[in-house]
Amino acid sequence: MTEALLPDARRGAALVRRPGARLGDGLTTHIDRLPVDAGLAARQWEDYVAAFHDNGWPTIEVARADDLPDAPFVEDTAVVVGDLAVIARPGAAERRPETAGAEVVLTGLGYRIERITGPGTLDGGDVLKLGSTFFVGLGGRTNDEGIHQLSSLVAPMGVEVVPVRVSRALHLKSSLTALPDGTVLGHLPVMDQPELIPNLEAVPERNGWRVVLLGDDRLLISSSAPRTSALLERKGYRLVRVDISEFEKREASVTCLSVRLRGAAPHS
């Protein structure tokens, strides 16, 4: 583990997974393929993890999987709500072995485990949580059956699931990100159904502008989105900037590299 699960982690921790030397072999769908510097990516990942620690978030590390190039994009492996962890079934078959490591950790933390099963597919990056609603991308990685299964699993917890078509981006969260005040930032040119998203505000950049919430007024954001960063600072947010350029070459953002656990599970 990057850091032991401390008592304070009951108020929040982040699940992360260290990149391996084969990161450059990861999948790309909607962007040109560029070479990845694995050594630089490793240093950028350490800085990303340090940003969580510096802002009061312990991290819990899923076992490294050098044979799975996309493994550091741990967001896609699970959807966590309350004491329930829904283990995903990624739409790309070669990514399905990634979920086992995340399940081991989440089980050890005491979460109730449910799984998306075939023929359903679901990537965690397609799930945008907004209050008691999950907006779920329906597209290349997540299908109708996966959305139906997720809806059945979270409905008893008072969560409504709203499908949103995705065809011009890898995941729904490649086009949307949520702020603490309920505003949803989106890049309109890659959105199929913007009319379904409440409190939507357009962002000026295609890449790098997604955020991870570190606190009521603190946001983690890539250093590759200066115009969106300026917009957020005008709104009064304090920004924590990280360089994740090597991961962005594989269609990733700051959200892809972690799963935030808003308090440890009751039995941990």
Side-chain angles (χ1 to χ4, degrees), residues 162-204:
V162 177
V164 181
R165 285 197 310 273
V166 175
S167 67
R168 289 174 280 180
L170 178 61
H171 292 125
L172 180 65
K173 287 173 71 175
S174 300
S175 63
L176 295 173
T177 198
L179 300 181
D181 66 359
T183 300
V184 179
L185 301 182
H187 187 60
L188 297 183
V190 296
M191 294 181 64
D192 288 81
Q193 294 180 296
E195 69 277 6
L196 296 182
I197 308 301
N199 304 317
L200 180 63
E201 181 174 343
V203 294

Side-chain angles (χ1 to χ4, degrees), residues 44 46-57 208-225 228-230 232-233 236-244 254-255:
Q44 290 178 344
E46 293 285 359
D47 290 342
Y48 177 88
V49 169
F52 278 91
H53 295 176
D54 292 346
N55 286 275
W57 286 76
W209 50 268
R210 271 79 69 189
V211 300
V212 173
L213 313 183
L214 297 178
D216 291 340
D217 65 346
R218 282 173 296 153
L219 305 175
L220 182 68
I221 190 169
S222 170
S223 57
S224 67
T228 303
S229 293
L232 293 170
E233 287 178 327
Y237 290 106
R238 291 189 294 157
L239 301 185
V240 178
R241 295 176 176 84
V242 290
D243 181 0
I244 58 164
V254 291
T255 64

Side-chain angles (χ1 to χ4, degrees), residues 27-170:
L27 301 175
T28 57
T29 305
H30 293 275
I31 63 173
D32 293 334
R33 193 172 189 86
L34 297 172
V36 170
D37 183 331
L40 177 57
R43 295 191 294 273
Q44 290 178 344
W45 185 86
E46 293 285 359
D47 290 342
Y48 177 88
V49 169
F52 278 91
H53 295 176
D54 292 346
N55 286 275
W57 286 76
T59 56
I60 305 164
E61 189 170 336
V62 178
R64 180 168 163 169
D66 288 341
D67 56 332
L68 301 173
D70 289 303
F73 309 130
V74 68
E75 175 188 44
D76 290 325
T77 63
V79 176
V80 178
V81 53
D83 68 343
L84 173 66
V86 179
I87 305 302
R89 186 172 183 264
E94 56 266 60
R95 295 199 61 193
R96 290 174 192 162
E98 296 172 24
T99 64
E103 182 173 345
V104 167
V105 174
L106 290 165
T107 299
L109 291 173
Y111 284 93
R112 292 189 294 119
I113 301 295
E114 297 286 355
R115 300 174 189 84
I116 302 298
T117 60
T121 62
L122 180 83
D123 276 20
D126 273 320
V127 182
L128 178 72
K129 304 171 186 177
L130 197 62
S132 60
T133 302
F134 284 0
F135 294 91
V136 184
L138 172 62
R141 297 294 177 89
T142 296
N143 64 17
D144 281 306
E145 175 60 21
I147 293 175
H148 172 72
Q149 291 182 31
L150 178 66
S151 180
S152 297
L153 292 170
V154 300
M157 306 180 77
V159 176
E160 178 187 10
V161 169
V162 177
V164 181
R165 285 197 310 273
V166 175
S167 67
R168 289 174 280 180
L170 178 61

